[in-house]
Structure formats: C-alpha cells, structure tokens
Short mmCIF file of all heavy atoms in Angstrom, two decimals:
data_model
loop_
_atom_site.label_atom_id
_atom_site.label_comp_id
_atom_site.label_asym_id
_atom_site.label_seq_id
_atom_site.Cartn_x
_atom_site.Cartn_y
_atom_site.Cartn_z
N GLN A 751 91.81 131.48 91.35
CA GLN A 751 91.04 131.91 92.47
C GLN A 751 89.55 131.74 92.23
O GLN A 751 89.07 131.84 91.06
CB GLN A 751 91.28 133.39 92.81
CG GLN A 751 92.75 133.62 93.26
CD GLN A 751 93.02 135.06 93.67
OE1 GLN A 751 91.99 135.84 93.84
NE2 GLN A 751 94.24 135.39 93.87
N ASP A 752 88.72 131.53 93.29
CA ASP A 752 87.31 131.44 93.14
C ASP A 752 86.71 132.71 92.69
O ASP A 752 87.08 133.79 93.19
CB ASP A 752 86.77 130.98 94.50
CG ASP A 752 85.19 130.88 94.44
OD1 ASP A 752 84.65 130.47 93.43
OD2 ASP A 752 84.58 131.31 95.45
N ALA A 753 85.76 132.69 91.79
CA ALA A 753 85.16 133.94 91.29
C ALA A 753 83.67 133.95 91.56
O ALA A 753 82.90 134.51 90.77
CB ALA A 753 85.44 134.05 89.76
N THR A 754 83.19 133.27 92.56
CA THR A 754 81.74 133.26 92.88
C THR A 754 81.29 134.66 93.14
O THR A 754 81.86 135.42 93.92
CB THR A 754 81.49 132.35 94.11
OG1 THR A 754 82.03 131.04 93.83
CG2 THR A 754 80.03 132.23 94.40
N ASN A 755 80.20 135.00 92.58
CA ASN A 755 79.65 136.37 92.79
C ASN A 755 78.63 136.33 93.96
O ASN A 755 77.60 135.75 93.86
CB ASN A 755 78.87 136.84 91.48
CG ASN A 755 78.28 138.14 91.65
OD1 ASN A 755 78.61 138.89 92.50
ND2 ASN A 755 77.28 138.48 90.69
N ASN A 756 79.03 137.05 94.98
CA ASN A 756 78.16 137.13 96.14
C ASN A 756 77.60 138.54 96.35
O ASN A 756 76.99 138.85 97.39
CB ASN A 756 78.98 136.82 97.40
CG ASN A 756 79.55 135.40 97.35
OD1 ASN A 756 78.75 134.50 97.04
ND2 ASN A 756 80.76 135.21 97.74
N ASP A 757 77.66 139.40 95.28
CA ASP A 757 77.13 140.79 95.43
C ASP A 757 75.55 140.77 95.37
O ASP A 757 74.99 139.82 94.81
CB ASP A 757 77.66 141.61 94.30
CG ASP A 757 79.06 142.13 94.64
OD1 ASP A 757 79.55 141.84 95.71
OD2 ASP A 757 79.60 142.86 93.74
N ASP A 758 75.03 141.75 95.95
CA ASP A 758 73.55 141.89 95.92
C ASP A 758 73.18 142.15 94.41
O ASP A 758 73.68 143.10 93.81
CB ASP A 758 73.22 143.13 96.77
CG ASP A 758 71.66 143.35 96.79
OD1 ASP A 758 70.97 142.66 96.04
OD2 ASP A 758 71.17 144.26 97.48
N PRO A 759 72.24 141.39 93.89
CA PRO A 759 71.85 141.57 92.45
C PRO A 759 71.33 142.99 92.19
O PRO A 759 71.42 143.46 91.07
CB PRO A 759 70.67 140.55 92.35
CG PRO A 759 70.98 139.49 93.35
CD PRO A 759 71.58 140.23 94.54
N GLU A 760 70.80 143.68 93.22
CA GLU A 760 70.28 145.00 93.01
C GLU A 760 71.47 146.01 92.77
O GLU A 760 71.19 147.12 92.28
CB GLU A 760 69.40 145.49 94.16
CG GLU A 760 68.08 144.69 94.22
CD GLU A 760 67.16 145.13 95.36
OE1 GLU A 760 67.68 146.10 96.05
OE2 GLU A 760 66.09 144.58 95.50
N SER A 761 72.59 145.62 93.10
CA SER A 761 73.75 146.58 93.03
C SER A 761 74.48 146.45 91.69
O SER A 761 75.46 147.15 91.36
CB SER A 761 74.75 146.35 94.10
OG SER A 761 75.43 145.06 93.91
N ILE A 762 74.00 145.50 90.81
CA ILE A 762 74.62 145.27 89.51
C ILE A 762 74.05 146.23 88.42
O ILE A 762 72.83 146.31 88.31
CB ILE A 762 74.46 143.80 89.06
CG1 ILE A 762 75.08 142.89 90.12
CG2 ILE A 762 75.13 143.61 87.72
CD1 ILE A 762 74.77 141.41 89.87
N VAL A 763 74.92 146.95 87.76
CA VAL A 763 74.54 147.80 86.63
C VAL A 763 74.84 147.07 85.36
O VAL A 763 75.99 146.74 85.12
CB VAL A 763 75.21 149.15 86.76
CG1 VAL A 763 74.80 150.02 85.55
CG2 VAL A 763 74.89 149.89 87.99
N PHE A 764 73.87 146.88 84.51
CA PHE A 764 74.09 146.16 83.22
C PHE A 764 74.26 147.14 82.03
O PHE A 764 73.63 148.21 82.10
CB PHE A 764 72.98 145.12 82.93
CG PHE A 764 73.06 143.90 83.80
CD1 PHE A 764 72.18 143.80 84.92
CD2 PHE A 764 73.93 142.91 83.57
CE1 PHE A 764 72.17 142.65 85.70
CE2 PHE A 764 74.00 141.75 84.31
CZ PHE A 764 73.16 141.69 85.49
N PHE A 765 75.07 146.70 81.10
CA PHE A 765 75.28 147.46 79.86
C PHE A 765 74.97 146.55 78.66
O PHE A 765 75.69 145.60 78.40
CB PHE A 765 76.73 147.94 79.75
CG PHE A 765 77.16 148.72 80.96
CD1 PHE A 765 77.64 148.13 82.09
CD2 PHE A 765 77.14 150.14 80.89
CE1 PHE A 765 78.03 148.88 83.23
CE2 PHE A 765 77.51 150.88 81.98
CZ PHE A 765 77.99 150.26 83.16
N LYS A 766 73.71 146.78 78.10
CA LYS A 766 73.33 145.92 77.01
C LYS A 766 72.43 146.68 76.04
O LYS A 766 71.78 147.66 76.40
CB LYS A 766 72.54 144.70 77.61
CG LYS A 766 71.33 145.07 78.42
CD LYS A 766 70.61 143.82 78.98
CE LYS A 766 69.40 144.14 79.75
NZ LYS A 766 68.79 142.90 80.27
N GLY A 767 72.37 146.12 74.76
CA GLY A 767 71.56 146.70 73.83
C GLY A 767 70.33 145.82 73.61
O GLY A 767 70.03 144.92 74.42
N ASN A 768 69.56 146.08 72.50
CA ASN A 768 68.37 145.29 72.25
C ASN A 768 68.72 144.20 71.21
O ASN A 768 69.06 144.49 70.09
CB ASN A 768 67.27 146.26 71.64
CG ASN A 768 65.94 145.57 71.61
OD1 ASN A 768 65.84 144.44 71.12
ND2 ASN A 768 64.91 146.27 71.92
N PRO A 769 68.54 142.95 71.60
CA PRO A 769 68.97 141.81 70.69
C PRO A 769 67.91 141.62 69.52
O PRO A 769 68.17 140.92 68.56
CB PRO A 769 68.87 140.63 71.63
CG PRO A 769 67.88 140.95 72.70
CD PRO A 769 68.04 142.42 72.88
N ILE A 770 66.86 142.30 69.57
CA ILE A 770 65.78 142.26 68.47
C ILE A 770 65.98 143.25 67.48
O ILE A 770 65.86 143.00 66.26
CB ILE A 770 64.38 142.30 69.06
CG1 ILE A 770 64.16 141.09 70.02
CG2 ILE A 770 63.35 142.27 67.89
CD1 ILE A 770 62.82 141.15 70.72
N LEU A 771 66.38 144.44 67.82
CA LEU A 771 66.48 145.64 66.95
C LEU A 771 67.91 145.91 66.44
O LEU A 771 68.01 146.78 65.56
CB LEU A 771 65.98 146.90 67.62
CG LEU A 771 64.53 146.85 68.08
CD1 LEU A 771 64.12 148.15 68.77
CD2 LEU A 771 63.51 146.45 66.98
N SER A 772 68.92 145.13 66.85
CA SER A 772 70.23 145.31 66.43
C SER A 772 70.40 144.72 65.00
O SER A 772 69.81 143.74 64.68
CB SER A 772 71.21 144.70 67.36
OG SER A 772 71.14 145.33 68.66
N PHE A 773 71.33 145.36 64.22
CA PHE A 773 71.50 144.98 62.83
C PHE A 773 71.99 143.59 62.71
O PHE A 773 71.38 142.75 61.91
CB PHE A 773 72.43 145.91 62.12
CG PHE A 773 72.72 145.59 60.74
CD1 PHE A 773 71.79 145.85 59.69
CD2 PHE A 773 73.94 145.01 60.37
CE1 PHE A 773 72.09 145.49 58.40
CE2 PHE A 773 74.21 144.67 59.06
CZ PHE A 773 73.28 144.90 58.10
N SER A 774 73.04 143.24 63.35
CA SER A 774 73.67 141.85 63.23
C SER A 774 72.68 140.76 63.58
O SER A 774 72.56 139.77 62.80
CB SER A 774 74.94 141.77 64.08
OG SER A 774 75.95 142.61 63.64
N PRO A 775 72.00 140.80 64.70
CA PRO A 775 71.00 139.76 64.97
C PRO A 775 69.85 139.66 63.91
O PRO A 775 69.43 138.58 63.55
CB PRO A 775 70.47 140.17 66.38
CG PRO A 775 71.55 140.91 66.98
CD PRO A 775 72.12 141.69 65.88
N ILE A 776 69.43 140.80 63.37
CA ILE A 776 68.39 140.77 62.44
C ILE A 776 68.87 140.09 61.15
O ILE A 776 68.16 139.23 60.62
CB ILE A 776 67.97 142.25 62.05
CG1 ILE A 776 67.21 142.96 63.19
CG2 ILE A 776 67.08 142.29 60.72
CD1 ILE A 776 66.85 144.34 62.98
N MET A 777 70.06 140.33 60.70
CA MET A 777 70.66 139.69 59.52
C MET A 777 70.82 138.22 59.79
O MET A 777 70.50 137.35 58.93
CB MET A 777 71.98 140.31 59.17
CG MET A 777 71.89 141.75 58.67
SD MET A 777 70.98 141.87 57.08
CE MET A 777 72.00 140.81 55.99
N ALA A 778 71.26 137.87 60.99
CA ALA A 778 71.50 136.43 61.33
C ALA A 778 70.17 135.68 61.41
O ALA A 778 70.12 134.53 60.86
CB ALA A 778 72.28 136.31 62.67
N TRP A 779 69.24 136.27 62.02
CA TRP A 779 67.85 135.57 62.18
C TRP A 779 67.23 135.44 60.76
O TRP A 779 66.54 134.43 60.53
CB TRP A 779 66.98 136.35 63.04
CG TRP A 779 67.20 136.00 64.51
CD1 TRP A 779 67.64 136.76 65.51
CD2 TRP A 779 66.87 134.70 65.09
NE1 TRP A 779 67.69 136.03 66.73
CE2 TRP A 779 67.22 134.77 66.46
CE3 TRP A 779 66.44 133.48 64.58
CZ2 TRP A 779 67.13 133.68 67.40
CZ3 TRP A 779 66.29 132.44 65.41
CH2 TRP A 779 66.61 132.52 66.78
N THR A 780 67.49 136.37 59.84
CA THR A 780 66.96 136.28 58.51
C THR A 780 67.53 135.03 57.76
O THR A 780 66.87 134.30 57.15
CB THR A 780 67.26 137.54 57.66
OG1 THR A 780 66.65 138.64 58.33
CG2 THR A 780 66.72 137.39 56.29
N LEU A 781 68.92 134.85 57.93
CA LEU A 781 69.56 133.74 57.33
C LEU A 781 69.15 132.39 57.97
O LEU A 781 68.90 131.38 57.24
CB LEU A 781 71.08 133.89 57.47
CG LEU A 781 71.74 135.03 56.71
CD1 LEU A 781 73.23 135.14 57.03
CD2 LEU A 781 71.52 134.80 55.18
N ILE A 782 68.97 132.50 59.34
CA ILE A 782 68.54 131.27 59.97
C ILE A 782 67.10 130.84 59.63
O ILE A 782 66.82 129.67 59.34
CB ILE A 782 68.46 131.47 61.53
CG1 ILE A 782 69.96 131.60 62.09
CG2 ILE A 782 67.75 130.37 62.32
CD1 ILE A 782 70.02 132.12 63.49
N ALA A 783 66.20 131.84 59.43
CA ALA A 783 64.83 131.54 59.02
C ALA A 783 64.84 130.96 57.57
O ALA A 783 64.15 129.99 57.23
CB ALA A 783 64.03 132.78 59.02
N CYS A 784 65.64 131.57 56.66
CA CYS A 784 65.72 131.09 55.29
C CYS A 784 66.27 129.66 55.20
O CYS A 784 65.73 128.78 54.51
CB CYS A 784 66.56 131.99 54.39
SG CYS A 784 65.87 133.60 54.16
N ALA A 785 67.34 129.38 55.96
CA ALA A 785 67.94 128.06 55.96
C ALA A 785 66.97 127.00 56.58
O ALA A 785 66.79 125.91 56.05
CB ALA A 785 69.24 128.05 56.81
N SER A 786 66.26 127.37 57.62
CA SER A 786 65.26 126.46 58.23
C SER A 786 64.14 126.24 57.26
O SER A 786 63.71 125.06 57.16
CB SER A 786 64.80 127.10 59.53
OG SER A 786 65.81 127.30 60.50
N TYR A 787 63.68 127.24 56.56
CA TYR A 787 62.52 127.02 55.61
C TYR A 787 62.93 126.17 54.47
O TYR A 787 62.21 125.25 54.07
CB TYR A 787 62.07 128.39 55.14
CG TYR A 787 60.92 128.33 54.13
CD1 TYR A 787 59.63 128.01 54.61
CD2 TYR A 787 61.18 128.53 52.78
CE1 TYR A 787 58.64 127.93 53.62
CE2 TYR A 787 60.17 128.43 51.89
CZ TYR A 787 58.86 128.18 52.28
OH TYR A 787 57.81 128.05 51.35
N LEU A 788 64.12 126.43 53.94
CA LEU A 788 64.60 125.58 52.80
C LEU A 788 64.78 124.09 53.29
O LEU A 788 64.40 123.16 52.58
CB LEU A 788 65.96 126.08 52.29
CG LEU A 788 65.89 127.40 51.45
CD1 LEU A 788 67.30 127.88 51.18
CD2 LEU A 788 65.10 127.17 50.17
N GLY A 789 65.31 123.88 54.46
CA GLY A 789 65.42 122.56 55.01
C GLY A 789 64.09 121.91 55.18
O GLY A 789 63.91 120.70 54.84
N TYR A 790 63.14 122.61 55.66
CA TYR A 790 61.75 122.04 55.91
C TYR A 790 61.17 121.65 54.59
O TYR A 790 60.55 120.58 54.37
CB TYR A 790 60.87 123.09 56.57
CG TYR A 790 59.43 122.67 56.71
CD1 TYR A 790 59.04 121.73 57.61
CD2 TYR A 790 58.54 123.27 55.87
CE1 TYR A 790 57.73 121.35 57.71
CE2 TYR A 790 57.15 122.93 55.99
CZ TYR A 790 56.74 121.98 56.88
OH TYR A 790 55.42 121.59 56.96
N ILE A 791 61.29 122.56 53.51
CA ILE A 791 60.68 122.33 52.23
C ILE A 791 61.31 121.11 51.59
O ILE A 791 60.60 120.17 51.03
CB ILE A 791 60.78 123.53 51.29
CG1 ILE A 791 59.97 124.67 51.82
CG2 ILE A 791 60.46 123.13 49.85
CD1 ILE A 791 58.52 124.45 51.87
N MET A 792 62.66 120.97 51.68
CA MET A 792 63.35 119.86 51.07
C MET A 792 62.93 118.50 51.85
O MET A 792 62.75 117.47 51.16
CB MET A 792 64.86 119.99 51.17
CG MET A 792 65.29 121.15 50.24
SD MET A 792 67.14 121.39 50.39
CE MET A 792 67.67 119.93 49.58
N ILE A 793 62.79 118.52 53.13
CA ILE A 793 62.42 117.28 53.83
C ILE A 793 60.99 116.91 53.47
O ILE A 793 60.73 115.72 53.33
CB ILE A 793 62.53 117.58 55.40
CG1 ILE A 793 64.03 117.72 55.80
CG2 ILE A 793 61.86 116.46 56.17
CD1 ILE A 793 64.20 118.09 57.20
N GLN A 794 60.08 117.86 53.24
CA GLN A 794 58.76 117.61 52.88
C GLN A 794 58.72 116.91 51.49
O GLN A 794 57.83 116.10 51.22
CB GLN A 794 57.87 118.87 52.89
CG GLN A 794 57.62 119.47 54.22
CD GLN A 794 56.74 118.43 55.06
OE1 GLN A 794 55.70 118.01 54.61
NE2 GLN A 794 57.18 118.26 56.30
N ARG A 795 59.68 117.25 50.66
CA ARG A 795 59.79 116.67 49.29
C ARG A 795 60.53 115.39 49.29
O ARG A 795 60.70 114.74 48.24
CB ARG A 795 60.46 117.63 48.36
CG ARG A 795 59.63 118.93 48.13
CD ARG A 795 60.46 119.88 47.21
NE ARG A 795 59.72 121.12 46.91
CZ ARG A 795 60.23 122.11 46.18
NH1 ARG A 795 61.51 122.00 45.77
NH2 ARG A 795 59.52 123.17 45.96
#
C-alpha cells in the first residue's frame, strides 16, 4: 500500500536525542577524524 505522508507537519511529534553529545557518535567521529588524518598524512608523504 501507498505510504505517502499527507499529515500536517505541525502535528508530528518527534522523538530524538542530540547527535553531537551522544556517546556513540562521539566515539565514531573520533575514529573517523583519526582515520582521515592518518590518510591525509600518508598521502602527503
């Protein structure tokens, strides 16, 4: 069946946390930054 959402956006209640302050994203972004930095340094060399 079609699942197109035709509800008024103002009637939607969202349930979400903070993607910056949560533990898992912080750990993941730390690893991403380290991997990106190592890749950049190696390419420069």
Side-chain angles (χ1 to χ4, degrees):
Q751 298 184 10
D752 176 40
T754 304
N755 177 19
N756 297 316
D757 280 357
D758 181 355
E760 294 184 359
S761 70
I762 302 175
V763 178
F764 285 104
F765 303 84
K766 59 181 179 179
N768 191 317
I770 299 176
L771 300 179
S772 299
F773 177 75
S774 294
I776 290 174
M777 292 297 296
W779 274 115
T780 301
L781 293 174
I782 291 170
C784 291
S786 300
Y787 179 74
L788 287 173
Y790 173 77
I791 293 298
M792 291 181 68
I793 291 174
Q794 291 295 310
R795 294 176 178 176

